[in-house]
């Protein structure tokens, strides 16, 4: 450290000396220029103008006339990299013992700067006076690792930076190469098969559905170690849930159940709309407004958030558009080889939404172009799986070149969309007893995985991961001692989720390569519940005691809080607004109630004198009506006789007593 400090002090001294020489040279140049200009051009003498061939005075004559040497001086340029390199080498040689410690090597200036500094020799006289100031070190010494980085060649720096960036990118991309299964979180949905599973696009909320007709919501950010669902509902009454899926924006959710009508729920589980039901007595499915048999599967369009797809046992695949109400857009009718109706078991969009694919009960996989009419298929394989079995799942790869199919014939097949005649790879002996068992691709398309059901004498259900290129078993993940039905690998969370027959959902993750999701809830301690304990004290029962001496019966904390809540003094309830003329010793202000406002502004606006005779009240307008007739009088002016009114007779009898109303 002392050597580094000495080396840095020498560097600072040489740098300060260089800047002082530069400053003194500039000052001396300015002085020389001013003296020469004074000698050439006295104040009382104006030089004669010398013209060039084009009639313009040269710069020298104009400068002498103006009283200075030139219009400007070009700024000095120094090669600081060369200066620091020379200084570093000289300091290194000094510490190696080649020179004396008291001698400070002078920096060798490049030729370009040496020529410019030849005129600044007058400033060298100030160096002797500034030697004492150069010995002072300003600021702390530079750390050694910074000096090493500065001294290293630029090529090495660039190579080191590129290597570090490549390592970071490689580590980020390689997080999908290994299955994140070192840790797990168990979610208890119920006691029956969990047949539906979905995560929103951000991975914040998990939704599960099962054979118990329940749909449960799990919020990773709001759960603690106890991992309890925050909402449970039955959107389709007594129908098994076949599939649940969030749309591309995550604000709507499609629920496909065992009935003929799919439902759309919002993010929190409230129903938005329901698909209409078709007429079961019409044989042509294109003539009905909806499905008329049990649904099998459904999914959202990957690009259009309002469009979704459903398939049913009525032999039709329907495309819907979610607007103010669910509108049927297209009807697709899969056909067998002989032209009969084919029952679709599963349906799926391709990753870019250009293909609509379905797997039918006759073992075929049929695809239509989403941009054309759905009359003829664009891709078709008749004997993809065994006839009469339920092909439970279709999954497109993320690069949209391959599609995997999970058959009810205990096989997993990989197909190339560019050559869709024969499967690329086949894996058998994968027992499957559910018509909704999933198969999926890993986020980087390096693995294809699916769940396996238990055979006789087997004890653990597994997720099998196969290499996409070779289809060799790459990883085997034991989930539980039950059949594995649904599975998914979320690309943002980098977590694997699997559901089983016994109502358990497991979330597998890695602390190093996974993000958020289950990692948020496992670190939260369980919330302490407020205990409602009974107050156990010795009580003296006095049945006939006065109320002021009577002791209340012991109550639980919850009941005591409810009682205190009803007491306005203990709950510190604020004063309620006054209703009517007054309440509780308070008088309402005029106009604070509706009745007082009406009385003050409307009822008293035109006060009628009750003592006025009605006849006199009408006759007071007779003169004005006679002078300015407007409505009836001009119409009957020629035919109407002149009215004669009865004159009022005066009598000495007192007026009749007015009755009080």
């Amino acid at each position: 450290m002392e050597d580094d400090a000495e080396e840095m002090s020498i560097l600072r001294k040489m740098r300060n000396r260089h800047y002082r020489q530069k400053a003194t040279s500039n000052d001396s140049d300015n002085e020389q220029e001013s003296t020469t200009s004074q000698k050439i051009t006295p104040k009382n003498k104006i030089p004669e103008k010398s013209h060039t061939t084009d009639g313009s005075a040269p710069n020298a004559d104009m400068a002498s006339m103006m009283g200075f040497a030139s219009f400007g001086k070009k700024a000095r340029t120094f090669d600081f990299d060369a200066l620091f390199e020379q200084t570093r080498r000289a300091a290194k040689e000094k510490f190696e013992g080649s020179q004396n410690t008291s001698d400070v090597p002078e920096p060798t200036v490049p030729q370009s700067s040496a020529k410019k500094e030849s005129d600044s020799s007058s400033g060298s006289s100030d160096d002797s006076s500034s030697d004492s100031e150069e010995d002072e070190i300003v600021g702390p010494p530079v750390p050694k690792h910074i000096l090493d980085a500065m001294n290293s060649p630029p090529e090495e720096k660039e190579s080191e930076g590129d290597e570090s960036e490549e390592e970071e990118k490689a580590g980020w991309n390689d997080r999908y190469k290994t299955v994140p299964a070192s840790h797990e979180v168990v979610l208890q949905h119920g006691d029956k098969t969990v047949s539906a599973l979905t995560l929103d696009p951000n991975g914040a909320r998990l939704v599960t559905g099962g054979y118990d007709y329940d749909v449960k919501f799990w919020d990773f950010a709001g759960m603690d170690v106890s991992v309890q669902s925050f909402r449970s509902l039955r959107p389709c009454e007594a129908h098994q849930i076949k599939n649940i899926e969030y749309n591309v924006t995550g604000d709507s959710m499609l629920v496909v159940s065992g009935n003929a009508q799919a439902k759309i729920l919002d993010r929190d589980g409230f129903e938005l709309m329901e698909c209409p039901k078709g007429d079961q007595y019409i044989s042509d499915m294109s003539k009905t407004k909806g499905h008329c048999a049990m649904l099998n599967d459904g999914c959202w369009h990957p690009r259009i958030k309002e469009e979704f797809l459903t398939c049913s046992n009525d032999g039709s695949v329907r495309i819907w558009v979610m607007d103010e109400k669910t509108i049927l857009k297209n009807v697709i009718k899969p056909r067998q080889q002989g032209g009969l109706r084919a029952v679709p078991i599963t349906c799926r969009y391709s990753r870019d939404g250009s293909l609509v694919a379905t797997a039918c009960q006759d073992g075929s996989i049929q695809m239509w172009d989403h941009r054309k009419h759905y009359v003829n298929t664009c891709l078709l394989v008749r004997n993809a799986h065994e006839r009469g079995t339920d092909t439970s799942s279709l999954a497109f790869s993320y690069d949209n070149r391959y599609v995997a199919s999970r058959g009810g014939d205990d096989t997993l097949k990989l197909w190339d969309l560019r050559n869709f005649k024969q499967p690329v790879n086949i894996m058998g002996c994968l027992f499957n007893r559910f018509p909704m068992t999933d198969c999926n691709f890993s986020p980087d398309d390096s693995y294809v995985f699916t769940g396996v059901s238990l055979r006789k004498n087997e004890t653990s259900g597994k997720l099998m991961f196969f290499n996409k290129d070779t289809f060799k078993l790459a990883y085997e993940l034991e989930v539980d001692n039950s059949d594995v039905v649904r599975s998914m690998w979320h690309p943002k969370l980098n977590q694997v989720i699997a559901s089983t027959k016994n109502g358990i959902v497991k979330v597998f993750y890695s602390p190093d390569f996974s993000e958020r999701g289950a990692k948020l809830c496992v670190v939260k301690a369980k919330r302490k519940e407020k205990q409602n304990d009974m107050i156990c004290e010795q009580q003296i029962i006095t049945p006939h005691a006065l109320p002021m001496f009577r002791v209340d019966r012991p109550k639980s904390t919850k009941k005591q809080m409810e009682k205190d809540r009803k007491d306005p003094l203990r709950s510190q309830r604020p004063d309620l607004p006054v209703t009517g003329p007054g309440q509780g010793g308070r008088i309402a202000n005029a106009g604070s109630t509706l009745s007082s406002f009406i009385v003050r502004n409307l009822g008293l606006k035109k006060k009628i004198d009750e003592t006025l005779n009605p006849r006199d009240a009408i006759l007071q307008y007779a003169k004005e009506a006679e002078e300015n007739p407007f409505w009836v009088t001009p119409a009957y002016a020629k035919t109407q006789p002149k009215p004669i009114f009865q004159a009022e007779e005066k009598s000495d009898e007192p007026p009749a007593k007015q009755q009080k109303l």
Side-chain angles (χ1 to χ4, degrees):
M1 294 298 292
E2 294 178 357
D3 296 342
D4 297 339
E6 292 179 1
E7 184 178 354
M8 290 305 301
S9 65
I10 293 171
L11 289 173
R12 288 194 183 91
K13 289 178 184 179
M14 298 181 67
R15 184 178 60 188
N16 295 337
R17 176 179 296 177
H18 173 70
Y19 287 145
R20 287 192 183 92
Q21 289 178 0
K22 178 182 176 182
T24 54
S25 64
N26 292 337
D27 295 340
S28 62
D29 291 343
N30 293 334
E31 290 177 0
Q32 290 179 3
E33 290 172 359
S34 61
T35 54
T36 55
S37 62
Q38 289 176 2
K39 290 178 182 179
I40 295 173
T41 310
K43 294 182 179 179
N44 55 0
K45 186 178 180 180
I46 300 175
E48 295 180 359
K49 296 182 180 179
S50 61
H51 296 276
T52 59
T53 58
D54 57 352
S56 61
N59 290 340
D61 297 341
M62 182 63 69
S64 62
M65 183 180 68
M66 296 294 293
F68 50 82
S70 64
F71 284 104
K73 202 168 185 179
K74 187 178 181 181
R76 298 178 185 273
T77 58
F78 300 94
D79 191 355
F80 288 103
D81 295 335
L83 288 174
F84 284 119
E85 182 67 22
Q86 294 291 339
T87 306
R88 185 182 66 79
R89 290 178 182 174
K92 187 175 181 181
E93 292 175 359
K94 175 182 175 304
F95 281 101
E96 288 177 355
S98 63
Q99 292 183 358
N100 224 359
T101 55
S102 59
D103 299 333
V104 179
E106 293 290 337
T108 59
V109 185
Q111 294 180 0
S112 59
S113 60
K115 292 179 181 179
K116 296 178 182 179
E117 292 181 357
S118 60
D119 298 333
S120 60
S121 60
S122 62
S124 60
S125 60
D126 298 334
D127 293 341
S128 59
S129 61
S130 62
D131 288 339
S132 59
E133 298 178 0
E134 292 178 358
D135 297 335
E136 298 179 0
I137 298 175
V138 181
V142 181
K144 187 176 181 180
H145 66 278
I146 298 179
L147 286 175
D148 295 339
M150 293 173 61
N151 296 335
S152 62
E155 297 178 357
E156 295 181 3
K157 294 180 184 178
E158 293 177 0
S159 62
E160 291 176 0
D162 295 340
E163 289 177 0
S164 61
E165 291 179 0
E166 290 177 359
E167 289 177 359
E168 290 179 0
K169 291 180 180 179
W172 182 258
N173 294 331
D174 292 343
R175 66 184 188 137
Y176 299 126
K177 297 298 182 183
T178 58
V179 180
S182 58
H183 295 69
E184 65 180 35
V185 174
V186 181
L187 309 177
Q188 185 67 44
H189 173 86
D191 298 329
K192 295 185 179 181
T193 303
V194 180
S195 56
L197 195 68
T198 185
L199 264 171
D200 65 344
N202 293 326
R205 186 166 291 183
L206 173 68
V207 182
T208 59
Y211 281 10
D212 55 356
Y213 322 134
D214 290 337
V215 173
K216 292 191 176 182
F217 293 76
W218 315 77
D219 190 3
F220 287 120
M223 289 191 300
D224 53 14
V225 182
S226 61
V227 287
Q228 299 293 326
S229 63
F230 71 92
R231 181 167 295 139
S232 178
L233 51 95
R234 289 190 177 184
C236 302
E237 298 178 354
H239 293 281
Q240 296 175 352
I241 307 299
K242 296 291 188 71
N243 191 23
I244 301 175
E245 187 174 325
Y246 274 104
N247 65 347
V248 65
T249 57
D251 57 352
S252 300
M253 186 170 53
L254 174 65
V255 179
V256 177
S257 62
N259 63 351
Q261 296 172 274
K263 287 192 176 183
I264 307 295
L265 308 181
D266 65 357
R267 181 177 175 81
D268 296 322
F270 299 101
E271 184 176 339
L272 295 178
M273 57 191 66
E274 184 180 20
C275 295
K277 187 176 181 180
D279 190 351
Q280 58 185 346
Y281 298 105
I282 298 177
S283 59
D284 189 358
M285 288 296 103
S286 61
K287 303 298 182 181
T288 60
K289 59 182 180 181
H291 290 292
C292 57
M294 179 184 70
L295 296 176
N296 290 325
D297 198 6
C299 65
W300 287 97
H301 194 281
R303 302 286 178 84
I304 306 172
K305 70 174 186 176
E306 296 90 1
E307 183 177 324
F308 62 95
L309 181 70
T310 58
C311 64
S312 171
N313 274 351
D314 59 5
S316 65
V317 179
R318 297 177 184 266
I319 300 176
W320 308 83
V321 176
M322 183 185 67
D323 203 355
E324 295 181 356
K325 60 180 182 178
T326 308
I327 302 172
L328 180 62
K329 185 177 180 182
N330 290 104
V331 179
I332 306 173
K333 294 182 286 185
R335 296 295 181 185
Q336 299 182 19
Q337 192 168 6
L340 298 177
R341 177 187 300 176
V343 177
I345 303 300
T346 182
C347 57
R348 194 65 50 190
Y349 282 104
S350 60
R351 293 286 178 180
D352 57 356
S354 60
L355 293 176
V356 178
T358 180
C360 301
Q361 205 168 21
D362 62 342
S364 64
I365 297 177
Q366 306 181 27
M367 298 187 188
W368 295 267
D369 194 339
H370 187 265
R371 298 161 294 185
K372 299 179 182 178
H373 295 289
Y374 305 98
V375 179
N376 298 322
T377 58
C378 61
L379 295 174
L380 173 63
V381 177
R382 285 294 178 188
N383 299 319
H385 291 276
E386 186 179 343
R387 186 180 182 88
T389 60
D390 293 339
T391 304
S392 57
S393 177
L394 289 176
F396 286 85
S397 62
Y398 284 88
D399 59 4
N400 211 32
R401 295 180 180 179
Y402 297 92
V403 60
S405 61
R406 181 71 163 97
D409 54 357
D410 304 341
T411 59
L412 176 66
K413 296 185 179 182
L414 183 66
W415 307 81
D416 191 346
L417 294 176
R418 295 164 293 184
N419 185 12
F420 202 61
K421 295 181 180 179
Q422 296 295 331
V424 179
N425 289 309
I426 302 175
M427 178 57 64
C429 300
L430 301 174
F431 185 52
N432 179 18
R433 68 169 78 241
F434 291 93
M436 68 280 297
T437 303
D438 267 341
C439 67
N440 283 296
F441 286 85
S442 62
D444 61 347
D445 288 336
S446 58
Y447 298 114
V448 183
F449 62 95
T450 184
V452 179
S453 302
L454 294 181
R455 293 181 182 271
K456 190 176 182 180
N457 298 328
E458 289 184 351
T459 57
S460 61
K462 299 175 182 178
L463 268 178
M464 313 291 284
F465 293 82
F466 302 96
N467 193 310
K468 188 193 73 172
D469 299 327
T470 62
F471 239 53
K472 292 182 179 179
L473 182 61
Y475 195 81
E476 193 174 285
L477 178 60
E478 293 186 1
V479 180
D480 199 26
N481 55 355
S482 182
D483 303 334
V484 179
V485 184
R486 288 282 188 175
S487 59
M488 64 182 304
W489 190 336
H490 198 274
K492 279 193 175 181
L493 303 184
N494 192 23
Q495 297 178 10
V496 178
I497 305 172
S499 66
T500 60
K501 178 185 175 182
N502 58 3
I504 289 177
V505 178
K506 283 195 175 183
V507 183
F508 298 92
Y509 68 95
S510 171
D512 300 327
F513 298 109
S514 299
E515 298 179 5
R516 303 190 304 274
K519 293 174 65 177
L520 298 176
C521 59
V522 295
V523 297
K524 293 182 180 179
K526 188 176 181 180
R527 300 186 185 93
K528 293 182 179 180
E529 296 181 359
K530 200 169 183 179
Q531 298 179 355
N532 297 327
D533 296 333
M534 298 292 292
I535 303 172
C536 298
E537 295 180 1
Q538 186 177 3
Q539 298 290 331
I540 300 173
I541 300 174
T542 54
H544 303 290
L546 295 175
M548 61 183 302
F549 300 109
R550 191 176 300 164
V551 180
D552 293 336
R553 296 176 61 184
K555 297 180 180 179
S556 63
T557 309
K558 184 177 180 181
K559 289 186 177 181
Q560 187 65 33
M561 289 178 62
E562 292 177 355
K563 184 179 179 182
D564 294 342
R565 186 66 179 169
K566 294 178 181 179
D567 190 353
L569 296 178
R570 291 188 177 182
S571 63
Q572 298 180 357
R573 186 184 66 185
D575 294 335
L576 300 177
V578 179
T579 58
Q583 182 181 4
R586 294 184 297 166
I587 301 174
N589 295 328
S592 61
T593 60
L594 179 62
S595 59
S596 62
F597 176 80
I598 293 174
V599 169
R600 186 181 64 176
N601 295 287
L602 301 178
L604 302 180
K605 191 172 183 180
K606 293 183 178 180
K607 190 174 181 179
I608 301 173
D609 190 4
E610 296 177 354
T611 61
L612 184 64
N613 190 3
R615 182 174 180 275
D616 296 340
I618 295 174
L619 290 176
Q620 67 182 356
Y621 299 101
K623 184 177 181 182
E624 183 179 357
E626 186 177 356
E627 294 176 354
N628 300 318
F630 188 73
W631 295 108
V632 180
T633 306
Y636 298 96
K638 297 181 179 180
T639 59
Q640 188 73 11
K642 185 176 180 181
I644 300 174
F645 298 102
Q646 181 180 0
E648 193 174 299
E649 298 179 357
K650 295 182 179 180
S651 61
D652 298 336
E653 297 181 0
K657 186 176 181 181
Q658 186 178 2
Q659 295 183 358
K660 188 176 181 180
L661 300 176

